[in-house]
Amino acid sequence: MEQRDVVRGGYEEIATAYDEYRETETPPALDDGIGADCFASLADGSRVLDAGCGAGRPVLERLDRVHESVGLDIATSQLELAREHVPAADLVLGDLARLPFADDAFDALCSFYAIIHVPKEEHERVLSEFHRVLRPGGDLLVSMGAIEGWEGRNDDWLDTGTAMEWSYFGPAKSREIVETAGFEIVDERLPEVESDGFSVFWGRA
């Protein structure tokens, strides 16, 4: 089974468990530092895409308070939960590597814990798609590789008995991919040890 199918199937199966996990496990870059600075730079009412929104918590919920928010995810069951949590948001089923949006459609785009599930040979395509749908000068906030690149599988993710797969480069290669796609790096949060989690980049188209 291809990685994309494992990821889609996994998120379909564990929608409720993952929603509960995300309710308590907030991305560390969201509320302070780089995330707070990026979101503070956006004008109220900006059109913002959460690419890989899952069940909508916590990222899409927070965007929707002050912006015209759109959530995209690969799993239908995740979007069904997102509809409950963020009823005013536009929700779209789709793939990060083939975004179903027109060029220059968004003022900003964020993507937490999603690119890491895409086969790493497609990361350049994903970032190019992100750049395509952002208006000139639009802001990007993404989490990518951890302290070292890795590809692997967990057959009992979140103790659910469900398989999940990951694929990502380390911080240096991830940063290169962001820049090659056409983004200027405004700020970054890079892991210093494995427990620091994933790299976060704030870029501008």
Side-chain angles (χ1 to χ4, degrees):
M1 184 180 293
E2 292 186 357
Q3 178 174 325
R4 185 175 268 97
D5 294 326
V6 173
V7 171
R8 179 188 293 108
Y11 276 114
E12 293 285 9
E13 289 180 22
I14 65 164
T16 299
Y18 187 71
D19 181 32
E20 293 171 352
Y21 172 69
R22 279 286 160 238
E23 186 177 14
T24 57
E25 293 289 332
T26 299
L30 183 61
D31 290 325
D32 54 22
I34 186 172
D37 291 344
C38 177
F39 292 140
S41 73
L42 301 178
D44 288 358
S46 294
R47 190 165 192 247
V48 184
L49 173 64
D50 182 3
C53 67
R57 297 194 293 188
V59 180
L60 190 62
E61 274 187 328
R62 299 186 190 190
L63 292 173
D64 197 59
R65 293 171 189 168
V66 291
H67 300 299
E68 179 188 345
S69 61
V70 179
L72 173 134
D73 203 85
I74 197 172
T76 302
S77 59
Q78 297 285 343
L79 293 174
E80 289 172 351
L81 288 174
R83 173 59 60 212
E84 297 177 15
H85 299 319
V86 198
D90 290 331
L91 299 174
V92 180
L93 184 68
D95 191 300
L96 299 185
R98 293 175 289 274
L99 295 178
F101 305 109
D103 296 356
D104 305 335
F106 298 96
D107 300 301
L109 183 155
C110 64
S111 185
F112 284 100
Y113 308 135
I115 302 170
I116 58 174
H117 292 299
V118 177
K120 62 185 183 181
E121 61 269 18
E122 296 184 39
H123 286 197
E124 291 186 12
R125 179 174 179 175
V126 169
L127 269 293
S128 293
E129 278 290 274
F130 288 177
H131 192 276
R132 178 184 66 79
V133 302
L134 278 171
R135 294 167 183 150
D139 286 292
L140 172 81
L141 186 67
V142 292
S143 65
M144 295 182 68
I147 196 165
E148 293 182 357
W150 185 73
E151 289 182 288
R153 177 184 176 115
N154 182 339
D155 287 318
D156 186 27
W157 191 41
L158 301 180
D159 299 319
T160 60
T162 298
M164 185 55 64
E165 294 188 6
W166 294 262
S167 179
Y168 51 82
F169 297 101
K173 179 62 176 180
S174 296
R175 188 185 205 278
E176 178 185 322
I177 290 171
V178 173
E179 292 182 309
T180 299
F183 292 99
E184 173 191 357
I185 301 293
V186 178
D187 198 1
E188 59 188 21
R189 178 188 181 276
L190 303 181
E192 297 181 0
V193 296
E194 191 65 38
S195 60
D196 276 354
F198 295 96
S199 306
V200 178
F201 300 99
W202 174 9
R204 186 157 289 152

